[in-house]
Amino acid sequence: SAVVAWVVSLVAVIAWGARDMAGPADAIVVLGAAQYAGRPSPVLKARLDHAVSLWKRGLAPRLLLTGGRGTGDTISEAAVGRRYAMRAGVADSAILLENEGRTTTASIEAVASIMQEEHLEKAILVSDPFHMLRLQIIAQRYGVMSVTSPTRTSPISANRLEALAYVIGESVKVPATIVLGILGR
């Protein structure tokens, strides 16, 4: 039944978000989040801090930052991320940008192209815990071999009600993503 499928999805979203699978890879992919006048939002900052930490641990030589421009923005989330990562000690030569994506799917589709062009095979996907399962499903759809590594410092995770709302939202998006992926072939 639909309820059983939803419960399975809910459990999977929670389980995926609880696991950190970071290991050696070719790139660390950071999913964009809001930026305000050139400054990363607290959510984007948490994702960037986690990715920079993985990069400094030597888990991947490249940082691939995603995120386009929101309505009225003069700079992309990815460009804000680049400036932030460089201030945190990441070499500009190690950073790749995906500047157009406004959705998870659009960003991952572009990431797949960039990784292919750069001959990068495996990615560590960085975002909030609630986002991990759907992110990996979409990455697989676009041929990106990946593991997930959620940030633990996001303000979303710190707010139990907000986190629950995102988990419930993802638990509905995951089956839809799977079904649309099957139908889209």
Side-chain angles (χ1 to χ4, degrees):
S1 86
V3 173
V4 172
W6 175 73
V7 170
V8 168
S9 178
L10 181 67
V11 169
V13 167
I14 293 167
W16 238 262
R19 303 177 337 162
D20 189 331
M21 305 299 289
D26 300 306
I28 299 161
V29 176
V30 183
L31 271 289
Q35 59 88 14
Y36 306 119
R39 287 191 140 81
S41 65
V43 171
L44 182 54
K45 183 182 179 305
R47 293 176 185 183
L48 291 165
D49 287 341
H50 183 62
V52 167
S53 156
L54 295 172
W55 184 83
K56 286 182 174 176
R57 282 173 44 201
L59 291 181
R62 307 301 295 269
L63 213 54
L64 205 169
L65 309 175
T66 74
R69 286 175 220 241
T71 310
D73 285 348
T74 56
I75 188 170
S76 70
E77 295 163 2
V80 169
R82 167 192 249 159
R83 205 163 50 207
Y84 185 87
M86 287 173 61
R87 284 189 186 134
V90 178
D92 190 33
S93 60
I95 300 172
L96 295 166
L97 297 185
E98 179 287 303
N99 272 308
E100 302 300 318
R102 296 296 306 138
T103 65
T104 299
T105 301
S107 289
I108 293 299
E109 184 177 12
V111 161
S113 295
I114 292 167
M115 287 184 66
Q116 197 170 16
E117 286 165 19
E118 297 286 331
H119 307 290
L120 306 172
E121 289 180 20
K122 186 176 181 184
I124 300 170
L125 305 174
V126 172
S127 188
D128 281 76
F130 66 82
H131 205 197
M132 294 288 108
L133 177 57
R134 187 165 60 98
L135 201 49
Q136 198 160 31
I137 291 167
I138 295 168
Q140 184 177 0
R141 178 182 305 152
Y142 287 103
V144 176
M145 189 170 52
S146 66
V147 293
T148 57
S149 184
T151 177
R152 298 290 173 214
T153 59
S154 175
I156 294 171
S157 298
N159 179 331
R160 286 189 190 276
L161 272 178
E162 190 176 9
L164 179 63
Y166 275 99
V167 165
I168 290 170
E170 286 294 311
S171 72
V172 173
K173 289 177 183 177
V174 163
T177 299
I178 293 168
V179 169
L180 292 173
I182 293 167
L183 295 177
R185 290 196 173 153

